[in-house]
Amino acid sequence: MALNSREGIRERAQALLERSIGPDAEFRPDQLDAIESLVVDGERLLLVQRTGWGKSTVYFIATKLLREQGAGPTLIVSPLLALMHNQIQDAEAQLGLEARTINSNNTEEWTEAKEAVVDGECDILLISPERLANTEFQEDVLVAMDEEFGMLVVDEAHCISDWGHDFRPDYRRIKRILQELPDHIPVAATTATANDRVVDDVTDQVPDLRAVRGDLVRDSLRLQTVDIGSRSRRLAWLAENVPDLPSSGIVYCLTTDEVETVTAWLNARGLDVEPYHGGMDGDRRRELEDRLMDNDVDGLVATNALGMGFNKPDLGWVIHFQRPPNLIRYYQEVGRAGRGLDEAFAILLSGEEDDRVAEYFIEQAFPEPQDFETVLSTLGGSDEPLYKYELLKETNLSWKATSQCLDILRVDNAIIRVDDGFTRTSADWTYDHERIESVTEHRREELARIQEFTQTDECLTRFIDDELDGSLETDCGHCANCAGPFRPASVDDEELVSAAVDHYRAESWDEISPRYYVPDADGRSKIAEDRKPEPGRVLSVYGDPGYGELVRRAQDDGGTYDQELIDAAVRHVDLEWDPSPAPTWVTAVPSPTDEQRVDDLARRIASELGLDYLPVIERVGEMRPQHELANSYQQRWNVEGAFAVTESVRSGPVLLVDETVGSRWSSTEASFVLRDAGSGPVYPFALAERNRW
């Protein structure tokens, strides 16, 4: 039977599936049809299928079949390369496919990978969407190939659409590639998170893309929502409930700080859990994924860095410590559980403070129109290309906003990257107010929907299926709203709540590390050892349960700080920190907004410590509150020369008190004037650190 006949392809595909999984393996609905459409018909498919359906099975088997017919390698474009190594290992071991990756973390392997692709010696090349913008990649790989790619796979294809929950500017390049791709090259665009609006948007932008949609909800998942209030009460709930959950699982948090706090809490209660977030290096993240795969830990506490692409069939539960910003992301993350189990649990905790975090991320999703104008005018007015850090020096833009502007403007060809920075092109560019406002409004509608989800009495499974425009017509019968709660909706032991508040207070302090360099006209210069401050301490995170909330409340009310904060500050300095040589006097950093409150704070701390308070630092220049400035350069120049000292500076070690700390430039500048005037070591201390998001 001819291998390229439809019957031959289907038989060979079945044989490859059995080779991969076992002799009794069967394709799921739509999988075999999709493989046949790609291999025989060269179609362009948009596979909208639930997590765990087996989208990678389709394009790996299709790749094997195409390579057996003499086609070129498959190009996979994915933002999830760090989470695909298990799938790639399986493809290599089970199907004999050789895969290579070109990304920012394996530069030492680039030459070998490029040669393998150009010479046709590998079967799969995986790249991130950002790599498509790299001139070297275009010339060394795409242009140099003797033959074209045999198939293009676009992973997480919802990123093409503005309406997708995770739109990425670099996916516009994929859209252009798809539009220019020869008709005979098959395309598999895959996603688990596209409703009708996203599907219509993607298929409108990409020609001849046929959507193949399956059932989006998994019968094994048992969904429950618990509106429980404060994060300290949620910690208590975790302590009471996680030990009774089956197998291993994942606790999802919105921020890295929360990951660390929750991990330490569960560890202190005898659970073997590890933190996982995008700030870790790739080897450590892979080690943690392997430990979870092997059930070597009770669970991981993670940000959404552990999300799409991670496949553990026996993951027994997923708990959301905080409410995600939308139901699509929630659906993705609960989809980690129950892939190979008859029953798995997905529990969403929500309550106070979730809206504040969600609103922050919505507001930060797009730069402001004036941010784009600032970048364009600054580049356009420069005789030379500018690096990102040079833009930051000349503008009051944050690192994140500058990066976003550069990414979007590069994709739109309004600027280009050259060897020594970025430069403006002649292309016209205007801010698309209507699109950005529509997308922002859509994000707020999504937030309202997940708020409604946490309060509804309707079937939770059907609620999500409706959001995804799925095909479920009846209630599921097994979520908590249908069958009754399977975990308590409250905390039994109130002492655990008090212990959780104490945990936040104990865990939220951090070191204020000294700055080692100061920016200047020629770049930066090293700060002299006899001028910079010593490592300091900050008591809490602004707005967090416990002390951080007390700081926020006092600043919002405009009053003085509670005695509880003073006692905590003194206890931390005197017993938990105990700097050496110990401070012999106290002074304060002048505030641009409320010098009286800071003066009162420092005076009371000094009194409790039994030290003299001397307000020796004076504000002699105009300055804005540091948290209103967007980047470190502007924050540095805001305080440069803003302080002077009186003749009352003492020569002994000094505790330098401030309300909040962020950039550390205020304490650094205050240290300069103190040390220059003859003080001893300077120990910065602040009540709260501004949000670390």
Side-chain angles (χ1 to χ4, degrees), residues 188-352:
T190 70
T191 180
T193 53
N195 57 18
D196 287 347
R197 186 175 195 173
V198 173
V199 169
D200 290 345
D201 191 23
V202 173
T203 53
D204 283 346
Q205 294 185 60
V206 180
D208 303 321
L209 197 63
R210 178 169 68 88
V212 179
R213 302 191 63 166
D215 294 334
L216 297 178
V217 294
R218 184 176 298 121
D219 290 339
S220 62
L221 275 179
R222 307 292 184 258
L223 305 179
Q224 182 176 355
T225 62
V226 179
D227 187 350
I228 200 166
S230 69
R231 283 177 281 164
S232 52
R233 187 164 289 277
R234 297 179 220 188
L235 286 184
W237 188 96
L238 291 178
E240 288 186 341
N241 290 277
V242 170
D244 297 330
L245 291 171
S247 182
S248 54
I250 301 170
V251 179
Y252 277 112
C253 301
L254 291 180
T255 67
T256 298
D257 282 343
E258 209 69 65
V259 164
E260 298 289 351
T261 298
V262 172
T263 300
W265 167 261
L266 292 176
N267 287 159
R269 264 128 202 94
L271 287 162
D272 183 10
V273 298
E274 294 278 0
Y276 183 107
H277 53 76
M280 297 175 167
D281 66 55
D283 289 342
R284 176 58 177 160
R285 288 164 66 178
R286 186 165 299 181
E287 175 190 344
L288 292 170
E289 292 164 25
D290 290 342
R291 290 192 65 193
L292 183 60
M293 289 290 293
D294 296 337
N295 291 317
D296 190 35
V297 289
D298 294 323
L300 296 183
V301 183
T303 63
N304 67 334
L306 181 65
M308 301 173 290
F310 179 75
N311 183 16
K312 176 177 167 59
D314 63 338
L315 193 78
W317 49 272
V318 167
I319 296 173
H320 281 84
F321 184 71
Q322 293 149 305
R323 188 190 64 218
N326 55 66
L327 278 168
I328 305 299
R329 175 164 155 186
Y330 171 73
Y331 164 77
Q332 274 189 332
E333 291 168 354
V334 299
R336 307 273 71 76
R339 295 185 174 192
L341 299 173
D342 292 333
E343 184 177 70
F345 302 97
I347 306 166
L348 170 58
L349 306 182
S350 64
E352 301 168 9

Side-chain angles (χ1 to χ4, degrees), residues 622-626 629 634-640 642:
E622 290 297 321
M623 55 182 286
R624 295 167 58 185
Q626 288 287 72
L629 295 164
Q634 305 304 321
Q635 289 163 338
R636 164 64 189 136
W637 294 322
N638 182 51
V639 299
E640 186 175 19

